[in-house]
Amino acid sequence: MSRWKFVGRTDELNRLLAAVTGEAGRGLFFSGSAGIGKSRLLREGVATLPSDRYAIWSIAASATTAALPFGGLVQVLPAEQPQGLSPAGILRWALDVLQQQAAGRRIVLAIDDAHLLDPPSAALVHLVARTENATVVGTLRDGEQIPLPIRALWTDDLVEHVELTPMPPAETAGLLAEILGGPVDAGSADRLGRLSSGNPLLLRELVHAATGSEELKRTYGIWKWTGRLELAPNLTDLIDTRVGQLTDGVRAVGELVAFGEPLGLHLLNQAADQADVEMAEERGLITVMQHDRRTNVRLAHPLYGEVLRRRCPVSRTRRLQARLAELLEQVGKRRRDDLLRVAVWRLDSGTAQDPALLVDAAVQAFTRYDVPLATRLARAALDADGGSDAAELLATILMFADRPDEAIDVLDAVTPEPDDERRLCRWLTVRGMVSYWGLSQESTVEEIASRAEQISDSAGRARVHAFEAIMRLHRLDTTAAVRLSQRVLDRPAAGVAARELARSTIAYVQAARGELTRSGAAIAQVHSAAASWRTDMPYLQLALELARGTRLMLTCDLAGIDAIVADEFADLAGAGDFRLGTGYLAILQAYAARLRGQSDTAMRTSLGACAVLATSRVYAGLAQAERAQSAALRGDATQAAAAMAEADRTHAPGMAVLYPWLEQARGATLATSGDLPGAVKHLGDLVDRLRADNFAGHEVHVLHDLVRLDQASMAVGPTCSDGGRRTVAQRLAELSERVDGVLPPLLARHGRAAATDSTTDLLAVADDYAALELTVFAAEATAQAAQRLRRQQSAAANDARERLAGLLGRCDLIRTPALNAGVPVLTEREWQVARLAAHGAPSRAIAERLYLSARTVENHLQRIYSKLGVTGRTELWAALRSIPGHEGGDVG
């Protein structure tokens, strides 16, 4: 693996450089644990200093030179030292040597691992730090004995002393992306970051091990850690060096914590000798922390647990886990997590004999969306004769683990008798869910409907009807879906989960129809009842998120999307490999980034969603559609077309209700490929389809897509009573009175302004878009105004270009048809001349730079001014920056 590019640590690097180049010239020492990145940070900082201003000596102290006088400075001082000088005289001589070699430049002494300096070298470093024309910077390792002259550097206020903290998650993900040559799945980056604790050296070793065992795989350009952690020998050696040799008692403490963390201190003291517990804490093997009213113990580093667990013999492992379970059972399972912990310890130790315990634990794991753990526990419960309850639970979990065929086999092995209605209704709903969404069998809806009529139990029938309703919703039979859902809500005997599932169905339909206020109220009601339905139906969260996410996207509530992406469910779903949850939330995140103009984030996140959902057909097509939109935003017609092809391939017929998003993406794909007539026709047909389906909430967005393509005056919809057809702008105005929220009136104003060529209104609309963080829409409305002003040869055109340049400056690369429309085409030579002129270069200098005559440069400039609609150089800078993809940068 090649040397990693330096990533992150921007604040620390700036602080180091300021310590050297600032007026005070105070030095700086970074301290931290081994591998935290101190040495690399020091090297990177020193490497940026110009050698004509600074005389730089880089010193790497080591244990081999620590016993030799001036051994630490052997790379700096001459080999021969003058004889007969006192120790103080030698120090003055050494300082004079450095001053002579510096030749008037400022001395910079950079010492890596300064704690390993021999006493004379440490004294000289202290003397240099006190010199007026010198700065000392360096690194120290935590836990080491520091020479007194070095410690005096900050106690005497000669240098700053800063503790270098672990890399934050964002920088860790950036470092991973750099070394792997592409973005990393968020869950994989999070796990690697947690295992390394933000330590670049440990992170490097983990990636070495993962790539060596082919556990890192790339899907849709996203790296994902798919396998078991392998600990390479050099990684275990590194951990052994940190932990050191452990006594049997201390090792037992570490093993107990490794299998039980977080482990209550009172339990640990019962299971191990208290003196060994104290020694383990003193050695830095464990940490003791207060959590609420409980004192918990954890290992000091996640990798310690990996090593201790793997080195522990199987027989001892099972004995320790059984002991932990016994201890917690003796003191009582006081907290909700205690049940789950006991069940896992019992299962892993081979002492699990109570299927009810395993079922309850599997339910608890599933309510936390930990799919792998829930699968293990539910399967163990079934193997322990847990019966139909265990089978139905396991089948449900397997459905969300993308294993529907296995789920069907489990269910068919426990088919209930017709007269056992309680079991029958639950079995029907689970089997229907697996069959419809897992196996894409649309006939499931009719089968469920037929069987429901045979159930006499009111609560059971309500549960089946709630499932039938949401299936019909996804099949686009919205009228029946609403009718069935309302029937469930009107049935007093209906259970909480059935009622809230029905309410989620209605909330989705309300959002699609533009009844966004009512939809929001229904969503809030489902959310408020979560504690009552989560244990019974954890996957109802998906129905809730689909309704909530659809409403937020249709209202363009980007702050609301940010909130649910950062909510507890997102963390649980990511940690528990609940792919439908993480995939859908990633789609929402990409949508918000796209409207903000953050095309890099939108593309990366949408690709991540595609990777997560690659084995599932539920939201796979939607993820590919968002990827197509992100690619279209960047003007990448090839990737947009590829994504749409994948959307068509992976989109399940049973997810027909999502068609507005896919067809909108198809329109964007056609437009970015240059087929504007095809895009306009497609979007016009989509408007008609949405109108027929009464999806006004979606229709306003598709009409707005036509406005963005400058088709505000295009006729849409059926012929009216006056014999004419409404224009896009007129239809938007009609819908703005029906569809809730602040957005529809704003879209209608945009349509009206574009239809009437009102540049003042277009710019006002752009300001309102910008206030909502809809930066792409703001830039496009401003571009439309600028194009009209340029055609009118208005003096206000330059101001519009300045505003457009400012909006584009907030975005990553965006190249939409609205931004590209009317953009003048400059030759490569004209671009070179224009950029140099915009940066203030006179014509003669441009001529010399490009090997042209001054007259030729002036001729080029006149053509450039004419094409851009500007009067001279003063307007050139804004004109160039207002062209998508050309920010007026220097000539390459």
Side-chain angles (χ1 to χ4, degrees), residues 181-389:
V184 182
D185 163 68
S188 302
D190 178 66
R191 187 178 174 213
L192 285 165
R194 281 188 287 107
L195 283 171
S196 68
S197 291
N199 185 298
L201 177 60
L202 288 178
L203 184 66
R204 179 185 179 89
E205 295 302 331
L206 286 169
V207 174
H208 262 304
T211 52
S213 61
E214 298 185 352
E215 291 182 347
L216 277 170
K217 299 184 183 298
R218 202 171 193 174
T219 306
Y220 294 113
I222 304 294
W223 287 99
K224 184 176 177 63
W225 189 10
T226 59
R228 176 178 179 268
L229 172 66
E230 293 293 340
L231 295 180
N234 56 340
L235 187 56
T236 53
D237 290 345
L238 183 63
I239 296 169
D240 283 342
T241 300
R242 290 188 174 200
V243 177
Q245 296 300 312
L246 303 175
T247 66
D248 291 343
V250 172
R251 181 175 294 279
V253 170
E255 289 171 345
L256 282 165
V257 179
F259 290 111
E261 65 177 337
L263 191 61
L265 181 60
H266 68 292
L267 285 180
L268 183 58
N269 283 331
Q270 291 182 54
D273 187 275
Q274 189 167 343
D276 290 328
V277 174
E278 292 171 359
M279 180 58 70
E281 184 180 9
E282 185 178 327
R283 291 287 300 274
L285 177 64
I286 62 174
T287 58
V288 180
M289 59 194 72
Q290 195 70 28
H291 181 71
D292 294 333
R293 291 178 295 173
R294 181 178 287 188
T295 304
N296 285 335
V297 181
R298 286 186 176 275
L299 291 170
H301 195 287
L303 284 177
Y304 295 171
E306 294 286 345
V307 172
L308 289 168
R309 285 189 292 269
R310 295 188 187 195
R311 289 184 174 178
C312 189
V314 173
S315 58
R316 186 159 76 237
T317 295
R318 292 164 71 92
R319 176 174 58 80
L320 291 171
Q321 290 169 328
R323 178 62 174 149
L324 288 168
E326 290 169 3
L327 286 171
L328 191 51
E329 286 172 333
Q330 288 171 8
V331 301
K333 299 186 284 290
R334 302 171 186 172
R335 299 194 177 191
R336 189 168 182 270
D337 285 352
D338 289 347
L339 168 70
L340 185 59
R341 288 154 62 79
V342 168
V344 172
W345 288 331
R346 287 294 183 197
L347 179 60
D348 290 343
S349 65
T351 58
Q353 299 175 346
D354 183 0
L357 171 68
L358 294 170
V359 168
D360 289 345
V363 169
Q364 192 175 112
F366 195 32
T367 61
R368 294 166 54 172
Y369 305 104
D370 190 337
V371 173
L373 179 58
T375 304
R376 281 187 61 217
L377 291 164
R379 190 177 297 283
L382 184 61
D383 293 342
D385 296 327
S388 59
D389 287 345

Side-chain angles (χ1 to χ4, degrees), residues 441-489:
Q441 295 179 358
E442 292 184 81
S443 61
T444 304
V445 180
E446 280 70 33
E447 294 170 9
I448 285 283
S450 174
R451 299 290 293 272
E453 299 309 314
Q454 302 169 18
I455 298 174
S456 59
D457 179 70
S458 183
R461 183 182 293 188
R463 188 180 183 93
V464 176
H465 278 159
F467 274 85
E468 180 190 348
I470 197 165
M471 289 179 194
R472 289 193 181 278
L473 167 66
H474 283 82
R475 205 172 68 169
L476 205 55
D477 188 355
T478 54
T479 301
V482 172
R483 185 183 68 250
L484 282 166
S485 296
Q486 193 59 54
R487 187 186 303 175
V488 172
L489 293 175

